Amino acid sequence: MLTWMFCAGTSGKTILRHILTTRTTHPPFKIAEELELLAASDDSASLEKWCRDAIAALPEEAEVVRRGNVKVVNKIMGHVMKASRGTAKAQDVRTTLLKLLQ
């Protein structure tokens, strides 16, 4: 099951700006879908793909995390957040990365 939720941050402002400039009558959730402002949850296939890609792109950091230095996972998380354009929930990214790196 794929679950979506609004991203934190400036998504609300972006939706409001879109409503005001386009005079749309679509509900905010529909606008968020159209503007790709929804965050994928931890059961998302996209999230796992982004995490696997980040691990492949940063093999040295991944190895450091595997050896026990969990703080380095933040650098890998940054790579995932960039790939997801900020739509991935940070806690879900962290959980998925740690699961994949064990």
Side-chain angles (χ1 to χ4, degrees), residues 70 73-74 77 89-99:
V70 181
V73 82
N74 293 334
M77 284 178 63
K89 290 179 15 185
Q91 186 58 44
D92 291 344
V93 170
R94 182 177 187 80
T95 302
T96 302
L97 283 171
L98 290 175
K99 181 178 75 173

Side-chain angles (χ1 to χ4, degrees), residues 5-12 37-39 86-89:
M5 65 186 325
F6 285 108
C7 291
T10 61
S11 296
L37 297 174
L38 300 176
T87 60
K89 290 179 15 185

Side-chain angles (χ1 to χ4, degrees), residues 10-98:
T10 61
S11 296
K13 292 177 188 176
T14 302
I15 291 170
L16 183 57
R17 194 173 298 120
H18 181 77
I19 291 170
L20 294 173
T21 58
T22 63
R23 305 285 187 198
T24 184
T25 58
H26 295 296
F29 185 80
K30 178 71 173 165
I31 295 168
E33 277 182 331
E34 292 170 3
L35 299 177
E36 298 178 358
L37 297 174
L38 300 176
S41 72
D42 61 346
D43 60 348
S44 170
S46 297
L47 178 60
E48 187 164 333
K49 181 188 180 315
W50 291 324
C51 290
R52 289 186 186 281
D53 291 347
I55 291 168
L58 302 169
E60 293 176 13
E61 289 80 355
E63 187 56 37
V64 171
V65 173
R66 285 185 186 108
R67 283 188 264 139
N69 188 350
V70 181
K71 292 181 181 181
V72 180
V73 82
N74 293 334
K75 183 169 185 179
I76 304 170
M77 284 178 63
H79 197 278
V80 174
M81 297 305 282
K82 184 176 179 181
S84 73
R85 297 183 353 212
T87 60
K89 290 179 15 185
Q91 186 58 44
D92 291 344
V93 170
R94 182 177 187 80
T95 302
T96 302
L97 283 171
L98 290 175

